[in-house]
Amino acid sequence: MKLNDIRHWTTERISQTILYVLVGISMLVFILFWTVGFNRPYLENTNFNDPLLTNVLIILMWVMFFAAFCITVWSVSSTLKKRGKALRRENGIPVKKISYSIIIGTLILMLLTLAFASTKPMHINGAIYNDALWLRISDMFVNTSIVMIIFAGAAVAYCGWRNRALHRKEEK
């Protein structure tokens, strides 16, 4: 397939291409970060490194965060607009209920992890970082990601177990 035929690509092909491009860009930036000028000493304190491509890495992370945030907002709003009251079920699956449950569940999980997040000061490059808001927000994102990964793993394990149980029942 040619790149100019992108309008005819399947959703799977588009998401796969985007994944490969993002992984490639990330690998390139991280490899360059670690190999080009990483051991450059910090002028104010030579005990620390001042990697040459730190700003490139930070800009990449901000761009990816902003893009993910915009795509998430667009996706949620377009899903809610398209669903309306007519499409509550598709092929017997309660898609509207599932969509709302995921959105509300994610927001509740983020609020809970924000509420229980740590504000304990951290030592970073020999200095104490004690901005409670950013410590709490970063802890929220890390803990929310961990909980969601655990939930996803549990869902995959449960569905696999259930699928095998159903196949065994059909074989008998």
Side-chain angles (χ1 to χ4, degrees):
M1 284 192 161
K2 294 181 182 177
L3 191 58
N4 27 345
D5 294 336
I6 198 165
R7 285 185 276 146
H8 304 293
W9 285 7
T10 63
T11 305
E12 178 185 6
R13 174 81 174 155
I14 293 170
S15 64
Q16 190 177 47
T17 303
I18 291 171
L19 173 68
Y20 290 152
V21 168
L22 289 176
V23 168
I25 291 170
S26 298
M27 283 179 55
L28 177 68
V29 169
F30 275 99
I31 288 170
L32 288 174
F33 175 78
W34 287 103
T35 57
V36 177
F38 180 76
N39 293 322
R40 196 174 75 158
Y42 185 53
L43 294 178
E44 293 181 23
N45 186 349
T46 56
N47 292 327
F48 299 113
N49 286 347
D50 183 20
L52 182 66
L53 299 177
T54 302
N55 290 337
V56 174
L57 187 64
I58 290 171
I59 289 169
L60 174 68
M61 293 303 112
W62 273 110
V63 167
M64 290 177 77
F65 173 77
F66 183 72
F69 180 78
C70 290
I71 290 169
T72 301
V73 169
W74 172 79
S75 176
V76 168
S77 65
S78 66
T79 298
L80 293 177
K81 283 180 188 175
K82 287 178 186 175
R83 291 277 177 234
K85 293 186 179 181
L87 296 174
R88 292 176 188 243
R89 296 179 85 76
E90 287 182 19
N91 298 326
I93 299 170
V95 291
K96 188 170 185 175
K97 190 181 289 186
I98 292 171
S99 296
Y100 281 121
S101 298
I102 290 172
I103 292 167
I104 292 168
T106 302
L107 290 175
I108 288 172
L109 180 61
M110 289 179 78
L111 289 174
L112 284 173
T113 55
L114 181 67
F116 293 110
S118 172
T119 58
K120 181 181 173 188
M122 298 174 64
H123 291 279
I124 300 172
N125 287 341
I128 295 176
Y129 186 78
N130 59 2
D131 187 340
L133 172 70
W134 289 111
L135 286 168
R136 190 175 289 272
I137 288 174
S138 62
D139 202 34
M140 173 196 68
F141 281 120
V142 169
N143 290 333
T144 300
S145 299
I146 290 170
V147 170
M148 291 178 102
I149 289 170
I150 290 170
F151 282 168
V156 167
Y158 172 73
C159 290
W161 170 80
R162 185 173 173 210
N163 194 19
R164 285 185 183 200
L166 289 174
H167 283 303
R168 286 186 195 136
K169 200 181 244 187
E170 288 175 1
E171 290 175 358
K172 289 181 182 181

